[in-house]
Structure formats: C-alpha cells, structure tokens
C-alpha cells in the first residue's frame, strides 16, 4: 500500500523502519480513501481525485510528529487535514488572478450532491476551529460524523462510550456551530 523506500545502496528499507503514523496510514489506507471520496462528495467544487486528496493529506500529515492514541483520533485528524486541503483548493480555484471567475463547463458523469461555496466552507472551517478551542471532543465528533461519515454506533465504539452519549455530544456540537455560523459580527 505504501511505496517501498530504498536506502543509500538502492535496496528496499525494511517496513519496520516506518514510523507509527506511516504504519497506521498504511493499515487504514482503504478507509482513508473512502473518507476522501466522502469529503469530495460533500465538496464537489474541488476538482481533484480521491487518491490525489489522500496522498496530499498524507504529505501534510507525514511532516508532523503527532502521536495518535487511537484510530478515531487519527481518522479525525485525517478528516481535518482533508477538509483544509479542499478549502484551499476551492479558494485557489476561485481566485481571480487564476481566472476563477470563469466556469469550466463539463458533462456530468455522476450525481453530484449540493456543495457549499467558498464562503460557507471558510465559515464552517473557522467555526470548527472555534469549537475545537471550546471542546475538542465535540469537534472530533463533528469530524468523525460529518466529514468521515461514521455512524453514531461506529463513533461510540471508537471512543468507548455509548451511542446516546455520542448523539448528545453531536447535538451540542450542532447547537454551538449553529450559533457560531448565524452570529453576525458586532451583535
């Protein structure tokens, strides 16, 4: 799944030399690719393939020395990295100096879900960052539920809590995000 690295002599380096994050990435590659596909379905204005998004996320994550105690935190972090990459791609694409005011016409080959525009994505990203400052647990649940597409049961199993606790936390997070997104500056 991960490309073999070669040492100075040109011989492959043993898989044991991989960092724990690289091993986790390799073990969860299929799930991470599914996650990238879900992310792109939510944000279809980003014209990039799931594999490219996944590999860009890997490059962004590989430079970090973060340690992930469990699968849920790793998947949540991966979802966050992918979300930031998609937002950056949308912003870059829409930039006027790059001809963002022109729309490329193409024939649809798949059913596209409604997507948020750049402003909405940017506001959502800022609101999620604020939520993470207020309560990291709630932000992780939003990442796992909305961006990773996990069910309440899957999140509960990953976090070692009950389904009902995850549902309550999801509702709290939605209320906080709703307030943050609908609050106008100066009010």
């Amino acid at each position: 799944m991960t490309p073999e690295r070669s040492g100075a002599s040109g011989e492959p380096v043993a898989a044991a030399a991989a960092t724990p994050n690289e091993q986790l990435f390799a073990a969860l590659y299929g799930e991470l690719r599914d996650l990238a596909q879900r992310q792109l379905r939510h944000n279809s204005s980003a014209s990039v393939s799931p594999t490219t998004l996944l590999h860009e996320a890997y490059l962004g994550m590989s430079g970090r020395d973060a340690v992930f105690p469990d699968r849920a935190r790793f998947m949540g972090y991966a979802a966050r990295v992918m979300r930031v990459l998609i937002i950056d791609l949308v912003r870059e694409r829409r930039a006027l100096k790059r001809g963002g005011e022109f729309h490329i016409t193409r024939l649809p080959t798949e059913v596209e879900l409604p997507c948020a525009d750049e402003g909405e994505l940017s506001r959502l990203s800022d609101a999620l960052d604020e939520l993470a400052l207020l309560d990291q647990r709630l932000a992780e649940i939003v990442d796992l539920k909305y961006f990773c597409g996990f069910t309440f049961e899957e999140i509960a199993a990953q976090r070692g809590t009950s389904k009902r606790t995850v549902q309550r936390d999801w509702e709290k997070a939605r209320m906080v995000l709703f307030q943050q997104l609908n609050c106008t500056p100066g009010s």
Side-chain angles (χ1 to χ4, degrees), residues 4 20 30 42 44 50 56 63 68 70 85-86 109 116 121-122 144 166:
E4 285 189 63
H42 285 303
S44 60
E56 287 293 324
F68 303 100
D70 56 27
L85 284 170
I86 289 172
T109 57
L121 287 175
S122 195
L144 292 172
V166 172

Side-chain angles (χ1 to χ4, degrees), residues 75-156:
M75 293 297 284
Y77 185 74
R80 201 168 311 119
V81 169
M82 288 182 201
R83 172 174 45 94
V84 168
L85 284 170
I86 289 172
I87 290 169
D88 288 346
L89 285 169
V90 169
R91 284 180 183 157
E92 183 178 307
R93 184 174 175 201
R94 303 249 169 111
L96 290 177
K97 69 181 182 180
R98 292 185 181 88
E101 73 274 13
F102 299 109
H103 298 284
I104 298 173
T105 305
R106 63 184 171 106
L107 295 174
T109 57
E110 58 189 39
V111 177
E112 293 185 6
L113 298 174
C115 65
D117 66 12
E118 176 191 346
E120 289 177 18
L121 287 175
S122 195
R123 288 181 51 225
L124 177 60
S125 179
D126 294 343
L128 281 171
D129 292 341
E130 286 182 40
L131 178 63
L133 293 174
L134 293 173
D135 192 334
Q136 182 66 34
R137 180 176 46 96
L138 296 180
E140 287 173 4
I141 288 176
V142 171
D143 281 333
L144 292 172
K145 176 70 177 155
Y146 184 76
F147 292 104
C148 294
F150 291 128
T151 64
F152 290 126
E153 292 85 7
E154 291 171 327
I155 297 170

